[in-house]
Amino acid sequence: MGNTLHSVGDNVSYIATENTWIESKAIQQLQITANLPDMVAVVGMPDLHPGRGYPIGAAFFSTQRFYPALVGNDIGCGMSLFQTDIKIAKLNLDKFEKQLSTLSDIASMEWLEANAPEQMKSHDFIASLGSIGGGNHFAEFQHIDKIIDNERFEQHGFNKKQALLLVHSGSRGLGQSVLRQHVEQHNHSGLLENTDEASAYLLAHQDALQFAETNRQLIGLRMLQQVKATGEMRLDINHNLVEPYTFRGVEGWLHRKGATPSDRGMVVIPGSRGDYSYLVMPNNNDISLNSLAHGAGRKWMRTECKGRLSHKYTPLQLSRTSLGSRVICANKQLIYEEAPQSYKSIDTVIESMVAAGLIAVIARLRPVITYKTSGECA
């Protein structure tokens, strides 16, 4: 474990090497959260950063009650990875970018009627299905840059000569409405288990999880149809959720806020839009509450980014990365907020988890084109 696991209280710790950027405000938020009633353990991941009152990139275990506010407003946010039939050697980047630039941010109702699962067609939020959303959500075509564990790579049906598609999105306005309803009724207080209020939230939470999973499937389908390709989903994982969990023999509730489950098989840990992503195999470990980082983690607040970067880079310059990939983002504010400079180095995040014994790296993935918004409502 070395100097990777840092204790900052009786029930509070975080995972990071000395090279990992961890902001003191994020650690303070961990400690504040650990003082909530019935909170047993709180662990920050290497991508830990401050949120609005609660830290992002962390897992929280409580007994007797759970806290919807710790899950946040994007219930079910997560990652899906698709193996596509797009041959990297024959990919024309100019043509590819042009095709994707004409894709609407929002799926038409006609498309949804033809492609959405039957049980979702009467959902109140159907109009949001198949849309990525704003913030740090994206869809990114990638290629295999380096294979570290060839046996595991081939076991899962990947082809190094063909592109992958990584989709990061969640439950859109549905998750926001679920949290708003909870806050209006209960403020940020937790819900005692086995109560009517807890049951009602968990029912809405499950609906949002299923919505988010369907949303990522449909985003993948829209992206692939746009470039006249096909693909198969290889993994799908949620990193904003709460669920029953047993921690060292004690039954309770595990909250993940920007934390990838490590007990559901292989996962992808993405970097910023100008950085690598990593395909990894988790090792179950309760020191991290069976959780991992969900990405690189922010280094700068969103409100700082344009001021820090606009005198150095134009939006057009930020649409090209140092790895030779391209970014489709017509929202000029968002392209600054999501610039690679505003994120931590993904390598330090991966190194921290390897050093802690939490993961084994399977492959490194290089971005080709990242789609965030074509300019319509995101």
Side-chain angles (χ1 to χ4, degrees):
M1 204 67 63
N3 298 320
T4 310
L5 181 65
H6 306 269
S7 176
V8 290
D10 290 342
N11 60 342
V12 191
S13 59
Y14 67 93
I15 296 161
T17 64
E18 60 182 13
N19 297 321
T20 311
W21 173 277
I22 301 289
E23 197 171 335
S24 60
K25 184 179 178 181
I27 296 174
Q28 290 170 4
Q29 288 185 343
L30 280 183
Q31 293 169 318
I32 291 169
T33 307
N35 289 325
L36 291 171
D38 299 314
M39 190 61 66
V40 175
V42 173
V43 183
M45 306 302 147
D47 59 335
L48 180 72
H49 58 283
R52 295 178 181 176
Y54 304 109
I56 301 168
F60 319 89
F61 177 72
S62 62
T63 59
Q64 303 179 70
R65 75 182 76 209
F66 59 83
Y67 292 88
L70 292 183
V71 178
N73 65 348
D74 197 6
I75 303 163
C77 184
M79 305 275 178
S80 294
L81 185 67
F82 300 80
Q83 173 66 70
T84 82
D85 64 351
I86 300 167
K87 294 181 179 179
I88 290 294
K90 295 185 176 180
L91 196 154
N92 182 315
L93 203 51
D94 290 332
K95 180 182 177 182
F96 208 56
E97 182 180 25
K98 187 174 181 179
Q99 287 175 309
L100 290 170
S101 295
T102 61
L103 178 66
S104 170
D105 293 339
I106 300 169
S108 69
M109 289 307 298
E110 292 79 9
W111 188 89
L112 289 169
E113 186 62 34
N115 293 282
E118 202 61 39
Q119 69 272 20
M120 285 291 183
K121 290 180 180 177
S122 58
H123 200 288
D124 289 344
F125 284 82
I126 185 174
S128 295
L129 280 176
S131 62
I132 294 170
N136 63 352
H137 294 161
F138 63 87
E140 183 171 276
F141 286 94
Q142 306 172 329
H143 71 87
I144 307 300
D145 181 71
K146 182 190 295 185
I147 300 173
I148 290 88
D149 187 332
N150 196 63
E151 183 178 351
R152 279 177 168 162
F153 182 84
E154 292 182 349
Q155 278 178 353
H156 288 87
F158 291 108
N159 186 329
K160 64 182 180 182
K161 295 181 180 180
Q162 295 173 334
L164 299 173
L165 171 61
L166 180 64
V167 174
H168 174 209
S169 192
S171 53
R172 306 291 279 112
L174 173 58
Q176 174 69 49
S177 71
V178 173
L179 179 63
R180 186 188 307 118
Q181 184 176 0
H182 168 76
V183 171
E184 287 173 354
Q185 295 176 0
H186 307 283
N187 200 353
H188 282 231
S189 301
L191 295 174
L192 288 171
E193 62 185 16
N194 301 321
T195 61
D196 291 344
E197 293 83 1
S199 296
Y201 174 81
L202 291 173
L203 194 64
H205 172 276
Q206 184 60 33
D207 180 40
L209 287 183
Q210 292 173 346
F211 188 96
E213 291 162 4
T214 302
N215 189 38
R216 289 190 289 273
Q217 291 173 17
L218 293 177
I219 291 168
L221 179 60
R222 291 186 69 217
M223 299 291 291
L224 290 168
Q225 286 181 349
Q226 187 69 13
V227 296
K228 298 178 174 56
T230 61
E232 294 182 1
M233 185 184 291
R234 288 287 186 265
L235 64 88
D236 182 78
I237 205 81
N238 299 307
H239 54 230
N240 286 1
L241 71 158
V242 61
E243 60 187 0
Y245 183 77
T246 301
F247 175 59
R248 297 176 181 173
V250 178
E251 293 185 358
W253 298 91
L254 178 59
H255 313 69
R256 291 184 175 102
K257 174 63 173 173
T260 298
S262 66
D263 52 3
R264 290 166 173 78
M266 179 181 60
V267 298
V268 173
I269 312 294
S272 70
R273 306 293 58 79
D275 208 344
Y276 298 102
S277 296
Y278 285 85
L279 184 66
V280 308
M281 182 61 70
N283 301 315
N284 289 352
N285 198 322
D286 64 11
I287 68 154
S288 67
L289 290 172
N290 273 340
S291 301
L292 306 170
H294 77 310
R298 294 197 70 85
K299 188 168 63 176
W300 299 343
M301 294 177 61
R302 291 185 176 279
T303 52
E304 301 175 2
C305 297
K306 191 170 184 181
R308 284 174 174 261
L309 296 171
S310 59
H311 65 289
K312 296 180 181 178
Y313 305 100
T314 66
L316 181 60
Q317 287 173 322
L318 290 177
S319 71
R320 301 293 185 264
T321 78
S322 61
L323 293 180
S325 65
R326 304 185 184 187
V327 180
I328 298 170
C329 182
N331 183 319
K332 293 181 180 179
Q333 180 69 28
L334 185 62
I335 201 167
Y336 283 109
E337 292 176 357
E338 289 295 302
Q341 294 88 337
S342 66
Y343 281 84
K344 304 179 190 184
S345 162
I346 188 61
D347 286 340
T348 65
V349 171
I350 296 297
E351 287 165 5
S352 296
M353 291 188 288
V354 170
L358 301 181
I359 60 169
V361 177
I362 298 173
R364 188 172 73 175
L365 316 178
R366 188 185 188 103
V368 176
I369 285 188
T370 307
Y371 178 99
K372 296 193 68 67
T373 166
S374 63
E376 298 185 29
C377 178

